Amino acid sequence: MQMKNLLRLMGALTLTTVATTSVVACGDQTAKQDIKDVKVDDLKTAVDSEKTFGDLNTNKEITDAVAAAIKKTTKLDVSVGTDFTLTNDKKKEDKQVAGEVKFTVTAQGDKILGTFTFTDTLTVAKQDIKDVKVDDLKTAVDSEKTFGDLNTNKEITDAVAAAIKKTTKLDVSVGTDFTLTNDKKKEDKQVAGEVKFTVTAQGDKILGTFTFTDTLTVAKQDIKDVKVDDLKTAVDSEKTFGDLNTNKEITDAVAAAIKKTTKLDVSVGTDFTLTNDKKKEDKQVAGEVKFTVTAQGDKILGTFTFTDTIE
């Protein structure tokens, strides 16, 4: 009888032990999550030319992005070193340069398993263009085109690109790295005057904005073909031949002849000067005087001659 009771007790203890062990074992088993389908977007990490490609494997920006991507897929909080390692396809001792780097993420520890890869394009840190200066280009007015057309005018965009390069040492181009706008209605036809431009950075090389002013000017007209008829100016024996160069009758006739050819309003002193072939201090006497008209200023260029018979 005692033997039977002892056997029953031993059987009960055995069942209890097995059941308990099974519960503990089940409690310890948590299925690892596979990371093969995890995706990491191109982070476009800034190059640090003082550091190596090996340093990228512990770069906090990169490892945090990897951990966040793993959590998005697996719902698990993970960390580099404990749950995964990072390697890349470059020589770990080489200094960083711009370009694509292929990373491999390898799981370790008790939470995750497997591997995945992603690419990070290392980029040069953007340069701020706020201090760039562009001189007044004095662009010639094109009355057939609009103020909007100025934003893609090659003379202007090339000057902007050159000014940016002078400050940043970077080769840039309109459309890819910067845009140009101005303070005029884009549909209005161009006329002479100041135009304020705004340059706005875009893309991966530069950042910020700056402004500059370009004074649109009327393209200079050549006066070489201007003709002035013989004016037959009256002699003034009290005045000199030099005085003829500012004689209102003569200078007005010259201005009118220039306007007839160029359609431009001009004035002596501002737009042209007048000289003649006589000694300027000599008193006027009757006879032919040969005048030379020389352009100056922003409207006209060149020279022409005419003869006035002083009577």
mmCIF file of all heavy atoms in Angstrom, residues 221-245:
data_model
loop_
_atom_site.group_PDB
_atom_site.id
_atom_site.type_symbol
_atom_site.label_atom_id
_atom_site.label_comp_id
_atom_site.label_asym_id
_atom_site.label_seq_id
_atom_site.Cartn_x
_atom_site.Cartn_y
_atom_site.Cartn_z
ATOM 1 N N GLN A 221 23.797 103.134 -81.186
ATOM 2 C CA GLN A 221 23.618 103.267 -82.626
ATOM 3 C C GLN A 221 24.857 103.950 -83.230
ATOM 4 O O GLN A 221 25.354 104.936 -82.679
ATOM 5 C CB GLN A 221 22.386 104.131 -82.925
ATOM 6 C CG GLN A 221 21.084 103.606 -82.350
ATOM 7 C CD GLN A 221 20.516 102.466 -83.166
ATOM 8 O OE1 GLN A 221 20.653 102.470 -84.379
ATOM 9 N NE2 GLN A 221 19.898 101.511 -82.509
ATOM 10 N N ASP A 222 25.309 103.430 -84.368
ATOM 11 C CA ASP A 222 26.472 104.003 -85.043
ATOM 12 C C ASP A 222 26.037 105.217 -85.882
ATOM 13 O O ASP A 222 25.053 105.137 -86.617
ATOM 14 C CB ASP A 222 27.123 102.950 -85.940
ATOM 15 C CG ASP A 222 28.554 103.308 -86.302
ATOM 16 O OD1 ASP A 222 28.834 104.496 -86.544
ATOM 17 O OD2 ASP A 222 29.391 102.393 -86.338
ATOM 18 N N ILE A 223 26.799 106.310 -85.750
ATOM 19 C CA ILE A 223 26.424 107.551 -86.445
ATOM 20 C C ILE A 223 27.247 107.784 -87.718
ATOM 21 O O ILE A 223 27.183 108.874 -88.308
ATOM 22 C CB ILE A 223 26.552 108.764 -85.504
ATOM 23 C CG1 ILE A 223 27.989 108.920 -84.995
ATOM 24 C CG2 ILE A 223 25.568 108.642 -84.350
ATOM 25 C CD1 ILE A 223 28.237 110.193 -84.191
ATOM 26 N N LYS A 224 27.990 106.775 -88.135
ATOM 27 C CA LYS A 224 28.906 106.977 -89.262
ATOM 28 C C LYS A 224 28.196 107.406 -90.552
ATOM 29 O O LYS A 224 28.807 108.055 -91.422
ATOM 30 C CB LYS A 224 29.722 105.708 -89.530
ATOM 31 C CG LYS A 224 28.889 104.513 -89.972
ATOM 32 C CD LYS A 224 29.753 103.281 -90.185
ATOM 33 C CE LYS A 224 28.882 102.114 -90.646
ATOM 34 N NZ LYS A 224 29.670 100.891 -90.866
ATOM 35 N N ASP A 225 26.922 107.049 -90.701
ATOM 36 C CA ASP A 225 26.204 107.374 -91.947
ATOM 37 C C ASP A 225 25.324 108.622 -91.849
ATOM 38 O O ASP A 225 24.545 108.924 -92.764
ATOM 39 C CB ASP A 225 25.339 106.183 -92.368
ATOM 40 C CG ASP A 225 26.181 104.960 -92.704
ATOM 41 O OD1 ASP A 225 27.281 105.138 -93.268
ATOM 42 O OD2 ASP A 225 25.744 103.826 -92.405
ATOM 43 N N VAL A 226 25.429 109.342 -90.741
ATOM 44 C CA VAL A 226 24.617 110.556 -90.571
ATOM 45 C C VAL A 226 25.098 111.649 -91.541
ATOM 46 O O VAL A 226 26.310 111.823 -91.755
ATOM 47 C CB VAL A 226 24.692 111.059 -89.116
ATOM 48 C CG1 VAL A 226 23.988 112.418 -88.975
ATOM 49 C CG2 VAL A 226 24.082 110.029 -88.164
ATOM 50 N N LYS A 227 24.150 112.342 -92.108
ATOM 51 C CA LYS A 227 24.456 113.428 -93.048
ATOM 52 C C LYS A 227 23.898 114.747 -92.513
ATOM 53 O O LYS A 227 22.753 114.799 -92.043
ATOM 54 C CB LYS A 227 23.824 113.178 -94.422
ATOM 55 C CG LYS A 227 24.180 111.842 -95.055
ATOM 56 C CD LYS A 227 25.670 111.723 -95.362
ATOM 57 C CE LYS A 227 25.979 110.375 -96.025
ATOM 58 N NZ LYS A 227 27.447 110.193 -96.167
ATOM 59 N N VAL A 228 24.699 115.812 -92.594
ATOM 60 C CA VAL A 228 24.251 117.167 -92.236
ATOM 61 C C VAL A 228 24.467 118.057 -93.457
ATOM 62 O O VAL A 228 25.588 118.154 -93.991
ATOM 63 C CB VAL A 228 25.040 117.733 -91.035
ATOM 64 C CG1 VAL A 228 24.630 119.190 -90.762
ATOM 65 C CG2 VAL A 228 24.822 116.862 -89.795
ATOM 66 N N ASP A 229 23.401 118.669 -93.915
ATOM 67 C CA ASP A 229 23.507 119.581 -95.070
ATOM 68 C C ASP A 229 24.307 120.826 -94.691
ATOM 69 O O ASP A 229 24.393 121.192 -93.507
ATOM 70 C CB ASP A 229 22.108 120.012 -95.548
ATOM 71 C CG ASP A 229 21.306 118.832 -96.111
ATOM 72 O OD1 ASP A 229 21.942 117.884 -96.631
ATOM 73 O OD2 ASP A 229 20.063 118.874 -96.001
ATOM 74 N N ASP A 230 24.872 121.470 -95.717
ATOM 75 C CA ASP A 230 25.599 122.719 -95.492
ATOM 76 C C ASP A 230 24.627 123.750 -94.912
ATOM 77 O O ASP A 230 23.616 124.091 -95.531
ATOM 78 C CB ASP A 230 26.180 123.215 -96.822
ATOM 79 C CG ASP A 230 27.155 124.369 -96.629
ATOM 80 O OD1 ASP A 230 27.057 125.070 -95.591
ATOM 81 O OD2 ASP A 230 28.004 124.567 -97.514
ATOM 82 N N LEU A 231 24.939 124.218 -93.718
ATOM 83 C CA LEU A 231 24.029 125.113 -93.003
ATOM 84 C C LEU A 231 24.191 126.582 -93.419
ATOM 85 O O LEU A 231 23.311 127.407 -93.146
ATOM 86 C CB LEU A 231 24.265 124.988 -91.486
ATOM 87 C CG LEU A 231 24.075 123.568 -90.907
ATOM 88 C CD1 LEU A 231 24.521 123.534 -89.456
ATOM 89 C CD2 LEU A 231 22.620 123.138 -91.036
ATOM 90 N N LYS A 232 25.346 126.884 -94.051
ATOM 91 C CA LYS A 232 25.616 128.270 -94.460
ATOM 92 C C LYS A 232 25.424 129.231 -93.270
ATOM 93 O O LYS A 232 24.673 130.214 -93.343
ATOM 94 C CB LYS A 232 24.750 128.671 -95.646
ATOM 95 C CG LYS A 232 25.016 127.827 -96.904
ATOM 96 C CD LYS A 232 24.212 128.319 -98.084
ATOM 97 C CE LYS A 232 24.395 127.563 -99.366
ATOM 98 N NZ LYS A 232 25.538 126.695 -99.540
ATOM 99 N N THR A 233 26.113 128.891 -92.203
ATOM 100 C CA THR A 233 26.018 129.682 -90.978
ATOM 101 C C THR A 233 26.605 131.081 -91.188
ATOM 102 O O THR A 233 27.636 131.244 -91.858
ATOM 103 C CB THR A 233 26.784 128.967 -89.838
ATOM 104 O OG1 THR A 233 26.237 127.668 -89.677
ATOM 105 C CG2 THR A 233 26.696 129.741 -88.522
ATOM 106 N N ALA A 234 25.949 132.073 -90.618
ATOM 107 C CA ALA A 234 26.416 133.460 -90.748
ATOM 108 C C ALA A 234 27.679 133.674 -89.928
ATOM 109 O O ALA A 234 27.786 133.233 -88.782
ATOM 110 C CB ALA A 234 25.323 134.412 -90.283
ATOM 111 N N VAL A 235 28.641 134.361 -90.548
ATOM 112 C CA VAL A 235 29.875 134.710 -89.831
ATOM 113 C C VAL A 235 29.553 135.647 -88.680
ATOM 114 O O VAL A 235 28.755 136.584 -88.830
ATOM 115 C CB VAL A 235 30.883 135.377 -90.783
ATOM 116 C CG1 VAL A 235 32.053 135.985 -89.988
ATOM 117 C CG2 VAL A 235 31.397 134.422 -91.815
ATOM 118 N N ASP A 236 30.210 135.411 -87.552
ATOM 119 C CA ASP A 236 30.156 136.362 -86.431
ATOM 120 C C ASP A 236 31.605 136.716 -86.123
ATOM 121 O O ASP A 236 32.312 135.972 -85.427
ATOM 122 C CB ASP A 236 29.480 135.728 -85.218
ATOM 123 C CG ASP A 236 29.284 136.729 -84.083
ATOM 124 O OD1 ASP A 236 30.001 137.755 -84.068
ATOM 125 O OD2 ASP A 236 28.432 136.466 -83.210
ATOM 126 N N SER A 237 32.040 137.841 -86.702
ATOM 127 C CA SER A 237 33.463 138.207 -86.625
ATOM 128 C C SER A 237 33.924 138.536 -85.211
ATOM 129 O O SER A 237 35.122 138.684 -84.954
ATOM 130 C CB SER A 237 33.762 139.392 -87.558
ATOM 131 O OG SER A 237 32.945 140.506 -87.200
ATOM 132 N N GLU A 238 32.973 138.666 -84.290
ATOM 133 C CA GLU A 238 33.337 138.927 -82.895
ATOM 134 C C GLU A 238 33.652 137.623 -82.152
ATOM 135 O O GLU A 238 34.212 137.655 -81.055
ATOM 136 C CB GLU A 238 32.182 139.648 -82.176
ATOM 137 C CG GLU A 238 31.855 141.023 -82.735
ATOM 138 C CD GLU A 238 33.046 141.955 -82.615
ATOM 139 O OE1 GLU A 238 33.639 142.030 -81.512
ATOM 140 O OE2 GLU A 238 33.406 142.575 -83.629
ATOM 141 N N LYS A 239 33.271 136.505 -82.779
ATOM 142 C CA LYS A 239 33.486 135.207 -82.117
ATOM 143 C C LYS A 239 34.554 134.395 -82.842
ATOM 144 O O LYS A 239 34.934 134.710 -83.983
ATOM 145 C CB LYS A 239 32.174 134.427 -82.044
ATOM 146 C CG LYS A 239 31.144 135.091 -81.124
ATOM 147 C CD LYS A 239 29.924 134.226 -80.925
ATOM 148 C CE LYS A 239 28.947 134.869 -79.927
ATOM 149 N NZ LYS A 239 27.745 134.031 -79.717
ATOM 150 N N THR A 240 35.012 133.323 -82.181
ATOM 151 C CA THR A 240 36.086 132.497 -82.732
ATOM 152 C C THR A 240 35.526 131.256 -83.421
ATOM 153 O O THR A 240 34.337 130.909 -83.277
ATOM 154 C CB THR A 240 37.044 132.029 -81.620
ATOM 155 O OG1 THR A 240 36.324 131.161 -80.734
ATOM 156 C CG2 THR A 240 37.598 133.227 -80.840
ATOM 157 N N PHE A 241 36.426 130.553 -84.141
ATOM 158 C CA PHE A 241 36.027 129.271 -84.734
ATOM 159 C C PHE A 241 35.708 128.237 -83.634
ATOM 160 O O PHE A 241 34.865 127.359 -83.826
ATOM 161 C CB PHE A 241 37.143 128.746 -85.651
ATOM 162 C CG PHE A 241 37.193 129.418 -86.977
ATOM 163 C CD1 PHE A 241 38.206 130.320 -87.283
ATOM 164 C CD2 PHE A 241 36.218 129.173 -87.939
ATOM 165 C CE1 PHE A 241 38.259 130.957 -88.524
ATOM 166 C CE2 PHE A 241 36.269 129.806 -89.179
ATOM 167 C CZ PHE A 241 37.288 130.700 -89.478
ATOM 168 N N GLY A 242 36.361 128.393 -82.499
ATOM 169 C CA GLY A 242 36.052 127.510 -81.367
ATOM 170 C C GLY A 242 34.614 127.659 -80.916
ATOM 171 O O GLY A 242 33.959 126.680 -80.506
ATOM 172 N N ASP A 243 34.096 128.895 -80.992
ATOM 173 C CA ASP A 243 32.712 129.146 -80.576
ATOM 174 C C ASP A 243 31.699 128.414 -81.467
ATOM 175 O O ASP A 243 30.578 128.127 -81.036
ATOM 176 C CB ASP A 243 32.409 130.647 -80.607
ATOM 177 C CG ASP A 243 33.167 131.417 -79.538
ATOM 178 O OD1 ASP A 243 33.391 130.837 -78.449
ATOM 179 O OD2 ASP A 243 33.543 132.568 -79.800
ATOM 180 N N LEU A 244 32.101 128.101 -82.709
ATOM 181 C CA LEU A 244 31.183 127.377 -83.611
ATOM 182 C C LEU A 244 30.846 125.976 -83.081
ATOM 183 O O LEU A 244 29.781 125.435 -83.388
ATOM 184 C CB LEU A 244 31.805 127.259 -85.006
ATOM 185 C CG LEU A 244 31.930 128.543 -85.817
ATOM 186 C CD1 LEU A 244 32.720 128.280 -87.096
ATOM 187 C CD2 LEU A 244 30.545 129.107 -86.156
ATOM 188 N N ASN A 245 31.737 125.409 -82.274
ATOM 189 C CA ASN A 245 31.519 124.034 -81.773
ATOM 190 C C ASN A 245 30.376 123.945 -80.766
ATOM 191 O O ASN A 245 29.872 122.850 -80.485
ATOM 192 C CB ASN A 245 32.806 123.508 -81.143
ATOM 193 C CG ASN A 245 33.945 123.417 -82.138
ATOM 194 O OD1 ASN A 245 33.716 123.156 -83.326
ATOM 195 N ND2 ASN A 245 35.169 123.647 -81.673
#
